Amino acid sequence: MSKLDTLIKDLVVANRILAREEVVDAYGHISVRHPDNPKHFFLARSLAPDLVEQGDIVELGLDAQPVRDEKRALYLERFIHAAIYEARPDVQAVVHAHAEDILPFGIASATPLRPVIHSGSFIGAHVPVWDIADKFGDTDLLVRNMEQGRDLARCLAGNNVALMRGHGFASAGRSLIEVVRMSVYLPRNARALLRGKQLGGEVKYLSDGEIAARAAGYSPYSTETWRAWEYWANKAGCGHLLTRPDAQHGHPPKAKA
Amino acid sequence: MSKLDTLIKDLVVANRILAREEVVDAYGHISVRHPDNPKHFFLARSLAPDLVEQGDIVELGLDAQPVRDEKRALYLERFIHAAIYEARPDVQAVVHAHAEDILPFGIASATPLRPVIHSGSFIGAHVPVWDIADKFGDTDLLVRNMEQGRDLARCLAGNNVALMRGHGFASAGRSLIEVVRMSVYLPRNARALLRGKQLGGEVKYLSDGEIAARAAGYSPYSTETWRAWEYWANKAGCGHLLTRPDAQHGHPPKAKA
Amino acid sequence: MSKLDTLIKDLVVANRILAREEVVDAYGHISVRHPDNPKHFFLARSLAPDLVEQGDIVELGLDAQPVRDEKRALYLERFIHAAIYEARPDVQAVVHAHAEDILPFGIASATPLRPVIHSGSFIGAHVPVWDIADKFGDTDLLVRNMEQGRDLARCLAGNNVALMRGHGFASAGRSLIEVVRMSVYLPRNARALLRGKQLGGEVKYLSDGEIAARAAGYSPYSTETWRAWEYWANKAGCGHLLTRPDAQHGHPPKAKA
Amino acid sequence: MSKLDTLIKDLVVANRILAREEVVDAYGHISVRHPDNPKHFFLARSLAPDLVEQGDIVELGLDAQPVRDEKRALYLERFIHAAIYEARPDVQAVVHAHAEDILPFGIASATPLRPVIHSGSFIGAHVPVWDIADKFGDTDLLVRNMEQGRDLARCLAGNNVALMRGHGFASAGRSLIEVVRMSVYLPRNARALLRGKQLGGEVKYLSDGEIAARAAGYSPYSTETWRAWEYWANKAGCGHLLTRPDAQHGHPPKAKA
């Protein structure tokens, strides 16, 4: 199987994982940059992530328009992806979603969302909140064009995650696996912080040094990273779609019977 | 298949979706107005929504009585539906349910339920709370006759949702798809608001302009609306019951294998 | 099938429902009084309710001892049942469980558990809290003999539910269906009250008149009561075990395909 | 089947239970000491617990290194297990996990985690919080060597559970069954305490005498302990893997059809 086929299959797996882990429902999407052409990226046609198959993946340019003739409807908010790929050459994969437990942090400014648990470290020390109303006034809150997408990308800046007020979040990673993991643990970190606050007194956040130490150890196909990907894929019912680019660990992916 | 057959099938799908999404349990119901006779509407016989099939649907008049000879037991609270259809010619579909996470807002008056997330915008800027005791004193809280139903409809007025103190809510939409979507995201909006409050400080609500902008973009068979319906139907195990009145998008409904 | 066979089968269904609805886990149990001999009752041998089958049901006397030779281990806390049947001739079925969301109300005395939602009315206007330590000092908190069971029954008095501090609850009903419904909606009422409190301000409870009006309308085989039983049994995977003593409603139980 | 084969199979069951009960996800692990050689213990290779089968179990020494030639990747944090077995000859089984609902108690020091419900008594009267930063400064929070493992074991001391700040917990028991039960009820106790606090006023904890009375009654194959193990194994889909070392109770394990 070609490298590109594998990537598309991984994108399907990523869609299903995000659905199973309740990061997305009918809405929300995940994309991956074209490995050989950094000005293109892949994203499903307008479809609930849980239903996405390989044939539903579309190739888009940095203007968020399909690079080939395409009759099928596309996600209205594909501009989020295009704008982040445009602004951030280091980013290989993007998620936009409305995971419920991050929503309170987008509407209540008193408690900024910051990492409090080790699995939440990947969201980074600073999680900016973007409010579309600041620049665009009363909208339907959707990111419907490049101008809005670029404004969000500016707010994201060099961070890994930006909350979107009253709407959801956008996250950006160096690989599909990284952005999925970050997006799954983002709401968990949010819940831990909310409940820590509820216990009263002071909450101890991860230090900048801890966040940096964890980021330094990251590799998309490390044993530890792969373990989660393999687990989530099986849980989402697509263990059979797993492929592992490096066979160095001597074990094929495990698919639950 | 006739337009009416399709509508009845959609009503079955709607019943199952509301059950799967935990908007209803054994109790709660959804109806749709007869497309050709605005003085009739369709509602299941007294049965848990998750068990409803086409043969369980009954045609009722605006007095909430069956229009044909009917031996089967009916929902006690069918008057909610009749009274709303009577008062609101614009309404095509009605839900009454007890979704758990809206209940706190019906019993604690300090924090009115208002949209804080974009998917919650459809509940509208104002969500009145109806207390059956205000007019009817000590009852079993059920809406058992037209007089009570009309009092609830008066409280609902031109809004999309009314909370019912100590009981649940009634929602009214321009289509089955709209009223289902509103009813699914209503508890999510309630949770986001409750948790925003728990984070302390001020909560930022959707502005009236944002609510209006979102309402303006609504269409029951838009790509975005359909995406949710297709997803929820599959999740509820009835993707095979999907039909799509307009085939303009070039894609048949997707049923998960 | 004899009336007794039907009752035993209903008791199996009740076990499975309580497991599926997370009222019980490995622990917790439900019993029913012998319809022809009020000094006997039926309860499973020591087994997780989700695994209970007809052959696991044991007949016990009001001393909580088996009335026939029995080699199998029994629930340690069967004295809860015996003592309540002894004290309350009106009671036909008893549940003891540790449903998670009622536990806070047993350990925090500031907010008494009272009905705030219509489905919670069945717990009654007053829910006493029994603390085993008050009379028995430091124990393992289990009700291990008739003396302890009787002390709990005294605290329960004429009420429908007693909370047990740091442990769980005991509920008593006029039928299996009633005690199951009460036990399923008890934690829901607890959650609604907790979250109502979190919203701030005053919480509106059901009035005594409302609680009485709802209790007055109860009948174990009413259409409305049966609807929940049929739904829960199907959800628990045992729709095929349903029997309906009165066929007056013209519909056999519905078992989901 | 040999005693060792049975133990390995039990360890597989324990892995699956912890996954099903959401104590672990892709991360977290459980080990058991070698019954004939207290300087060895068994732990899966680096794999999500839900995917663990008998062939995935590895035998390690008290230095956390495999005792036989091993090419497969191992858990980075196996030092937690080795250090606890080294320090605590009484301990036969160890869990390390990140169960979400204990995390708030590791980051908010105002409310110590203590037993408030009878099923939570097994965590013991005192649950210390270990902060890796106290001795090792800024790390990735993982226990990556014996020095760190020993520091955690010192904090655990003679207790059953230690929380790990911003990370999770380690629990130690006298058998697989005990450590699994403790680990499943630990988050439930945490939730009950958090919500008790939210109700306001004073919370009543279990007394030291109650905790001691419950601990005194413990036996790994008592009817009551076994009941939970049998239930959880069936729920996790591995009822068929159950074996019961003592047949004294006259009943083979029950596997749900």
Side-chain angles (χ1 to χ4, degrees), chain D residues 3 11 47 79 87 101 113-114 178-179 209-210:
Chain D
K3 191 173 69 174
L11 183 55
L47 188 67
F79 304 96
D101 291 325
L113 184 58
R114 287 169 48 195
E178 185 183 45
V179 85
E210 287 172 333

Side-chain angles (χ1 to χ4, degrees), chain A residues 116-118 181 185 188 191 195 198-200 203-204 207 209-210 214 223-224 227-228 251 254 256, chain D residues 25-27 46-48 50-51 53 56 72 75-76 100-101 107 110-111 131 138-140 165-166 198:
Chain A
V116 286
I117 55 174
H118 82 309
R181 186 160 73 153
Y185 286 130
R188 169 175 286 200
R191 287 189 293 270
R195 289 174 192 151
Q198 291 173 332
L199 284 173
V203 163
K204 182 157 190 185
S207 72
E210 287 172 334
R214 288 189 58 75
T223 300
E224 288 68 39
R227 200 199 311 166
H251 262 275
K254 199 158 189 169
K256 218 181 170 184
Chain D
D25 55 4
Y27 302 106
S46 179
L47 188 67
D50 192 45
L51 301 175
E53 297 170 294
D56 297 308
R72 298 174 295 183
Y75 292 130
L76 291 180
E100 187 177 308
D101 291 325
I107 62 174
T111 305
D131 189 339
D138 282 343
T139 67
D140 65 2
R165 189 269 309 166
Q198 291 174 332

Side-chain angles (χ1 to χ4, degrees), chain B residues 46-65:
Chain B
S46 179
L47 187 67
D50 192 44
L51 300 175
V52 167
E53 296 169 296
Q54 286 162 257
D56 298 309
I57 305 296
V58 177
E59 188 172 344
L60 304 171
L62 290 190
D63 57 355
Q65 300 310 330

Side-chain angles (χ1 to χ4, degrees), chain B residues 105-168:
Chain B
F105 289 88
I107 61 175
S109 50
T111 306
L113 184 57
R114 287 170 48 196
V116 285
I117 55 173
H118 81 309
S119 56
S121 69
F122 308 107
I123 66 175
H126 178 57
V127 179
V129 179
W130 180 69
D131 189 341
I132 192 172
D134 287 347
K135 181 155 177 188
F136 301 97
D138 282 343
T139 66
D140 64 3
L141 284 95
L142 302 182
V143 177
R144 288 177 167 275
N145 55 51
M146 282 307 291
E147 193 190 352
Q148 293 172 336
R150 284 175 182 138
D151 195 56
L152 167 59
R154 261 190 300 276
C155 174
L156 175 65
N159 299 294
N160 298 337
V161 181
L163 299 184
M164 301 160 75
R165 190 269 309 167
H167 181 175

Side-chain angles (χ1 to χ4, degrees), chain D residues 104-189:
Chain D
F105 290 89
I107 62 174
S109 50
T111 305
L113 184 58
R114 287 169 48 195
V116 285
I117 55 174
H118 82 309
S119 57
S121 70
F122 308 108
I123 66 174
H126 179 56
V127 178
V129 179
W130 181 68
D131 189 339
I132 193 173
D134 287 346
K135 182 155 176 188
F136 300 97
D138 282 343
T139 67
D140 65 2
L141 284 95
L142 302 181
V143 178
R144 289 178 167 273
N145 55 50
M146 284 305 294
E147 194 190 350
Q148 294 172 336
R150 283 175 182 138
D151 195 56
L152 167 58
R154 260 190 300 275
C155 174
L156 176 65
N159 299 294
N160 296 339
V161 181
L163 299 183
M164 300 160 76
R165 189 269 309 166
H167 181 173
F169 73 89
S171 59
R174 288 161 293 175
S175 71
L176 272 177
I177 292 188
E178 185 183 45
V179 85
V180 164
R181 185 159 72 153
M182 194 191 304
S183 303
V184 170
Y185 285 131
L186 172 69
R188 169 176 285 202
N189 187 85

